[in-house]
Amino acid sequence: MLHVVSYQIADSIDVRGFRAAYKEGIYHYDADELFYKTGDDTYIYIFKYGVVCFTNCSEAGREEFLQRIAPFGKNVFELKLSEEFEVETDAKENKFGYNKIEVTKPDEEVIRLIMLNVSQSVALDYFQEQTNLIQEETNEYTLRLEQKGRLSMSRQDLKMYIGKTLNLKNRIAENLYIFDSPPETWEDENLNRIDLGLKRTFDLQERYRDIREGLEIVKENLELFKDLLQYRNSTFLEWIVIILIAVEVLNLLFDKLF
């Protein structure tokens, strides 16, 4: 039995910088990820989107490694999201269960594929959490709009809010590749079946769609807020023009009369 645990430790990780500093044990790498084999049935997987995944590493070993990689992370979290998964080896057939998979051939590519899907799952948890926070903030503004009939938000607040939403959308867009099947599954039927089964087990596509839909709702609200603020500002400018014209008329009348 192999124990897999994945952590979202930061917004992102400098994969290239870490690879330059720690080269021993690298089994696979590219610009976005690093896969280490550190012992018999012991692996570490690092992803640029801020996730580190371990297989068969002790708790002390995990903590030591997380401290080592922390300087390479951007906005390292104090509280880490995590997900655990069990891999039963030497099974008669590949079989998927709740938080568990049984595999017939647990080689490096199979283990890497399992760790990839567990890491995708914890990354989706993080993006869902961030999306929920933005939606809650949006709901506060819409509730005030319903209760008071006006939008209690300045143009500066709106700009910051739009920036926060766009940053989250951009980060998800940058990491769209994480929800694609890796190239190895295109050439290996066994890997492809395992990958599809894991995606169903973790509901990756459905959860990703929920995040996209949540951000679209936020976007619609932002468009409404922007229109309301533009209307409020244009109305304010119209009143300024009216007041200036009225003052000018009063000045003319005063000059005529006196």
Side-chain angles (χ1 to χ4, degrees), residues 33-47:
E33 57 190 46
L34 279 170
F35 185 67
Y36 290 86
K37 183 174 182 179
T38 57
D40 293 337
D41 296 330
T42 306
Y43 306 90
I44 300 174
Y45 213 167
I46 304 166
F47 301 88

PDB file of all heavy atoms in Angstrom, residues 33-47:
ATOM      1  N   GLU A  33       6.990  21.349 -14.044  1.00  0.00           N
ATOM      2  CA  GLU A  33       6.928  20.352 -12.972  1.00  0.00           C
ATOM      3  C   GLU A  33       8.255  19.619 -12.803  1.00  0.00           C
ATOM      4  O   GLU A  33       9.083  19.571 -13.720  1.00  0.00           O
ATOM      5  CB  GLU A  33       5.806  19.351 -13.256  1.00  0.00           C
ATOM      6  CG  GLU A  33       5.945  18.640 -14.593  1.00  0.00           C
ATOM      7  CD  GLU A  33       4.708  17.838 -14.973  1.00  0.00           C
ATOM      8  OE1 GLU A  33       3.598  18.389 -14.838  1.00  0.00           O
ATOM      9  OE2 GLU A  33       4.854  16.680 -15.393  1.00  0.00           O
ATOM     10  N   LEU A  34       8.413  19.043 -11.604  1.00  0.00           N
ATOM     11  CA  LEU A  34       9.599  18.257 -11.246  1.00  0.00           C
ATOM     12  C   LEU A  34       9.142  16.985 -10.555  1.00  0.00           C
ATOM     13  O   LEU A  34       8.332  17.034  -9.627  1.00  0.00           O
ATOM     14  CB  LEU A  34      10.498  19.041 -10.282  1.00  0.00           C
ATOM     15  CG  LEU A  34      11.455  20.085 -10.840  1.00  0.00           C
ATOM     16  CD1 LEU A  34      12.046  20.892  -9.687  1.00  0.00           C
ATOM     17  CD2 LEU A  34      12.552  19.422 -11.631  1.00  0.00           C
ATOM     18  N   PHE A  35       9.674  15.849 -11.007  1.00  0.00           N
ATOM     19  CA  PHE A  35       9.317  14.572 -10.400  1.00  0.00           C
ATOM     20  C   PHE A  35      10.592  13.890  -9.914  1.00  0.00           C
ATOM     21  O   PHE A  35      11.484  13.581 -10.701  1.00  0.00           O
ATOM     22  CB  PHE A  35       8.597  13.684 -11.423  1.00  0.00           C
ATOM     23  CG  PHE A  35       8.085  12.390 -10.860  1.00  0.00           C
ATOM     24  CD1 PHE A  35       7.072  12.373  -9.926  1.00  0.00           C
ATOM     25  CD2 PHE A  35       8.624  11.180 -11.281  1.00  0.00           C
ATOM     26  CE1 PHE A  35       6.591  11.173  -9.412  1.00  0.00           C
ATOM     27  CE2 PHE A  35       8.165   9.972 -10.780  1.00  0.00           C
ATOM     28  CZ  PHE A  35       7.142   9.974  -9.836  1.00  0.00           C
ATOM     29  N   TYR A  36      10.665  13.676  -8.581  1.00  0.00           N
ATOM     30  CA  TYR A  36      11.840  13.058  -7.962  1.00  0.00           C
ATOM     31  C   TYR A  36      11.503  11.652  -7.497  1.00  0.00           C
ATOM     32  O   TYR A  36      10.423  11.403  -6.948  1.00  0.00           O
ATOM     33  CB  TYR A  36      12.294  13.851  -6.731  1.00  0.00           C
ATOM     34  CG  TYR A  36      12.909  15.196  -7.026  1.00  0.00           C
ATOM     35  CD1 TYR A  36      12.114  16.325  -7.176  1.00  0.00           C
ATOM     36  CD2 TYR A  36      14.296  15.349  -7.117  1.00  0.00           C
ATOM     37  CE1 TYR A  36      12.680  17.571  -7.427  1.00  0.00           C
ATOM     38  CE2 TYR A  36      14.869  16.584  -7.364  1.00  0.00           C
ATOM     39  CZ  TYR A  36      14.051  17.694  -7.517  1.00  0.00           C
ATOM     40  OH  TYR A  36      14.609  18.924  -7.761  1.00  0.00           O
ATOM     41  N   LYS A  37      12.455  10.738  -7.697  1.00  0.00           N
ATOM     42  CA  LYS A  37      12.397   9.422  -7.057  1.00  0.00           C
ATOM     43  C   LYS A  37      13.485   9.413  -5.992  1.00  0.00           C
ATOM     44  O   LYS A  37      14.677   9.401  -6.285  1.00  0.00           O
ATOM     45  CB  LYS A  37      12.622   8.296  -8.056  1.00  0.00           C
ATOM     46  CG  LYS A  37      12.501   6.913  -7.423  1.00  0.00           C
ATOM     47  CD  LYS A  37      12.572   5.799  -8.451  1.00  0.00           C
ATOM     48  CE  LYS A  37      12.389   4.445  -7.759  1.00  0.00           C
ATOM     49  NZ  LYS A  37      12.432   3.311  -8.718  1.00  0.00           N
ATOM     50  N   THR A  38      13.050   9.430  -4.734  1.00  0.00           N
ATOM     51  CA  THR A  38      13.995   9.594  -3.623  1.00  0.00           C
ATOM     52  C   THR A  38      14.321   8.288  -2.908  1.00  0.00           C
ATOM     53  O   THR A  38      15.121   8.280  -1.976  1.00  0.00           O
ATOM     54  CB  THR A  38      13.424  10.596  -2.599  1.00  0.00           C
ATOM     55  OG1 THR A  38      12.146  10.133  -2.134  1.00  0.00           O
ATOM     56  CG2 THR A  38      13.245  11.975  -3.236  1.00  0.00           C
ATOM     57  N   GLY A  39      13.694   7.181  -3.332  1.00  0.00           N
ATOM     58  CA  GLY A  39      13.955   5.886  -2.706  1.00  0.00           C
ATOM     59  C   GLY A  39      13.027   4.848  -3.292  1.00  0.00           C
ATOM     60  O   GLY A  39      12.281   5.111  -4.242  1.00  0.00           O
ATOM     61  N   ASP A  40      13.065   3.624  -2.756  1.00  0.00           N
ATOM     62  CA  ASP A  40      12.165   2.576  -3.212  1.00  0.00           C
ATOM     63  C   ASP A  40      10.724   2.966  -2.888  1.00  0.00           C
ATOM     64  O   ASP A  40      10.359   3.124  -1.713  1.00  0.00           O
ATOM     65  CB  ASP A  40      12.503   1.246  -2.536  1.00  0.00           C
ATOM     66  CG  ASP A  40      13.858   0.710  -2.983  1.00  0.00           C
ATOM     67  OD1 ASP A  40      14.293   1.103  -4.092  1.00  0.00           O
ATOM     68  OD2 ASP A  40      14.474  -0.063  -2.229  1.00  0.00           O
ATOM     69  N   ASP A  41       9.910   3.129  -3.933  1.00  0.00           N
ATOM     70  CA  ASP A  41       8.503   3.500  -3.783  1.00  0.00           C
ATOM     71  C   ASP A  41       8.326   4.829  -3.050  1.00  0.00           C
ATOM     72  O   ASP A  41       7.295   5.067  -2.404  1.00  0.00           O
ATOM     73  CB  ASP A  41       7.725   2.394  -3.036  1.00  0.00           C
ATOM     74  CG  ASP A  41       7.689   1.096  -3.826  1.00  0.00           C
ATOM     75  OD1 ASP A  41       7.708   1.165  -5.068  1.00  0.00           O
ATOM     76  OD2 ASP A  41       7.657   0.026  -3.197  1.00  0.00           O
ATOM     77  N   THR A  42       9.304   5.708  -3.140  1.00  0.00           N
ATOM     78  CA  THR A  42       9.228   7.023  -2.503  1.00  0.00           C
ATOM     79  C   THR A  42       9.441   8.097  -3.569  1.00  0.00           C
ATOM     80  O   THR A  42      10.473   8.102  -4.241  1.00  0.00           O
ATOM     81  CB  THR A  42      10.290   7.168  -1.396  1.00  0.00           C
ATOM     82  OG1 THR A  42      10.157   6.084  -0.474  1.00  0.00           O
ATOM     83  CG2 THR A  42      10.112   8.477  -0.638  1.00  0.00           C
ATOM     84  N   TYR A  43       8.460   8.999  -3.690  1.00  0.00           N
ATOM     85  CA  TYR A  43       8.490   9.984  -4.768  1.00  0.00           C
ATOM     86  C   TYR A  43       8.035  11.353  -4.256  1.00  0.00           C
ATOM     87  O   TYR A  43       7.256  11.446  -3.295  1.00  0.00           O
ATOM     88  CB  TYR A  43       7.565   9.564  -5.918  1.00  0.00           C
ATOM     89  CG  TYR A  43       7.824   8.179  -6.448  1.00  0.00           C
ATOM     90  CD1 TYR A  43       7.157   7.070  -5.913  1.00  0.00           C
ATOM     91  CD2 TYR A  43       8.726   7.962  -7.486  1.00  0.00           C
ATOM     92  CE1 TYR A  43       7.388   5.795  -6.400  1.00  0.00           C
ATOM     93  CE2 TYR A  43       8.961   6.685  -7.987  1.00  0.00           C
ATOM     94  CZ  TYR A  43       8.289   5.611  -7.436  1.00  0.00           C
ATOM     95  OH  TYR A  43       8.525   4.336  -7.913  1.00  0.00           O
ATOM     96  N   ILE A  44       8.506  12.396  -4.953  1.00  0.00           N
ATOM     97  CA  ILE A  44       8.077  13.773  -4.686  1.00  0.00           C
ATOM     98  C   ILE A  44       7.792  14.433  -6.028  1.00  0.00           C
ATOM     99  O   ILE A  44       8.595  14.352  -6.956  1.00  0.00           O
ATOM    100  CB  ILE A  44       9.143  14.567  -3.919  1.00  0.00           C
ATOM    101  CG1 ILE A  44       9.455  13.901  -2.569  1.00  0.00           C
ATOM    102  CG2 ILE A  44       8.679  16.008  -3.688  1.00  0.00           C
ATOM    103  CD1 ILE A  44      10.605  14.552  -1.818  1.00  0.00           C
ATOM    104  N   TYR A  45       6.649  15.095  -6.120  1.00  0.00           N
ATOM    105  CA  TYR A  45       6.224  15.752  -7.353  1.00  0.00           C
ATOM    106  C   TYR A  45       5.964  17.228  -7.051  1.00  0.00           C
ATOM    107  O   TYR A  45       5.201  17.551  -6.134  1.00  0.00           O
ATOM    108  CB  TYR A  45       4.943  15.093  -7.866  1.00  0.00           C
ATOM    109  CG  TYR A  45       4.786  15.062  -9.364  1.00  0.00           C
ATOM    110  CD1 TYR A  45       3.805  14.249  -9.948  1.00  0.00           C
ATOM    111  CD2 TYR A  45       5.572  15.826 -10.215  1.00  0.00           C
ATOM    112  CE1 TYR A  45       3.631  14.187 -11.320  1.00  0.00           C
ATOM    113  CE2 TYR A  45       5.412  15.766 -11.591  1.00  0.00           C
ATOM    114  CZ  TYR A  45       4.433  14.959 -12.142  1.00  0.00           C
ATOM    115  OH  TYR A  45       4.269  14.893 -13.506  1.00  0.00           O
ATOM    116  N   ILE A  46       6.584  18.119  -7.822  1.00  0.00           N
ATOM    117  CA  ILE A  46       6.462  19.566  -7.609  1.00  0.00           C
ATOM    118  C   ILE A  46       5.847  20.198  -8.845  1.00  0.00           C
ATOM    119  O   ILE A  46       6.257  19.907  -9.969  1.00  0.00           O
ATOM    120  CB  ILE A  46       7.851  20.193  -7.337  1.00  0.00           C
ATOM    121  CG1 ILE A  46       8.518  19.508  -6.141  1.00  0.00           C
ATOM    122  CG2 ILE A  46       7.732  21.697  -7.094  1.00  0.00           C
ATOM    123  CD1 ILE A  46       9.994  19.829  -6.018  1.00  0.00           C
ATOM    124  N   PHE A  47       4.878  21.097  -8.633  1.00  0.00           N
ATOM    125  CA  PHE A  47       4.192  21.763  -9.734  1.00  0.00           C
ATOM    126  C   PHE A  47       4.311  23.273  -9.585  1.00  0.00           C
ATOM    127  O   PHE A  47       4.253  23.804  -8.480  1.00  0.00           O
ATOM    128  CB  PHE A  47       2.712  21.371  -9.769  1.00  0.00           C
ATOM    129  CG  PHE A  47       2.495  19.891  -9.935  1.00  0.00           C
ATOM    130  CD1 PHE A  47       2.446  19.062  -8.821  1.00  0.00           C
ATOM    131  CD2 PHE A  47       2.353  19.333 -11.188  1.00  0.00           C
ATOM    132  CE1 PHE A  47       2.243  17.701  -8.963  1.00  0.00           C
ATOM    133  CE2 PHE A  47       2.152  17.970 -11.341  1.00  0.00           C
ATOM    134  CZ  PHE A  47       2.103  17.153 -10.233  1.00  0.00           C
TER     135      PHE A  47
END
